[in-house]
Amino acid sequence: RLTGGESMSTQPLARTVRNVSRLRVISEDGPDDQLIVTVRGAQDLRDFRKDVFHQHTGDVTWTLVRHSDSWRIQRKVVRLINSADTLTGIGYIL
């Protein structure tokens, strides 16, 4: 980084498209006003930065908590199908 100048926070920003599919409710727990729901699905994320296209596909598990009339993500776990490959700096877009 010191010699090359490359940093994840530099310009240009990555342009991304995210597709989520195969959603299914795994579990529900708690009273209605504090309901916790676990959902699983598939995510296909594509990003384009510095004339390079990347595709990141994986299985995702979300733990959602009811908050008033909406939902908040308490936990998100992404298991990439290509996790054995070199994956530098993608945590900020997943």
Side-chain angles (χ1 to χ4, degrees):
R1 180 173 167 184
L2 291 174
T3 60
E6 177 63 22
S7 172
M8 293 322 261
S9 62
T10 62
Q11 297 294 329
L13 297 173
R15 290 178 277 171
T16 62
V17 174
R18 183 184 321 256
N19 295 308
V20 177
S21 62
R22 248 187 353 161
L23 293 171
R24 62 187 188 273
V25 175
I26 301 302
S27 67
E28 298 180 36
D29 189 37
D32 285 344
D33 60 337
Q34 295 178 333
L35 188 61
I36 298 174
V37 177
T38 302
V39 179
R40 280 196 191 144
Q43 175 177 277
D44 182 34
L45 179 102
R46 298 170 188 224
D47 74 89
F48 184 76
R49 182 172 183 257
K50 294 186 176 182
D51 295 326
V52 178
F53 171 79
H54 295 102
Q55 180 173 354
H56 309 287
T57 304
D59 294 312
V60 185
T61 303
W62 295 269
T63 302
L64 307 173
V65 179
R66 183 183 288 273
H67 182 77
S68 299
D69 292 337
S70 64
W71 293 89
R72 293 195 177 167
I73 298 173
Q74 182 181 60
R75 182 175 185 212
K76 177 181 176 182
V77 177
V78 180
R79 292 181 179 87
L80 295 173
I81 63 171
N82 62 335
S83 61
D85 291 344
T86 302
L87 303 168
T88 58
I90 64 168
Y92 73 103
I93 60 175
L94 291 176

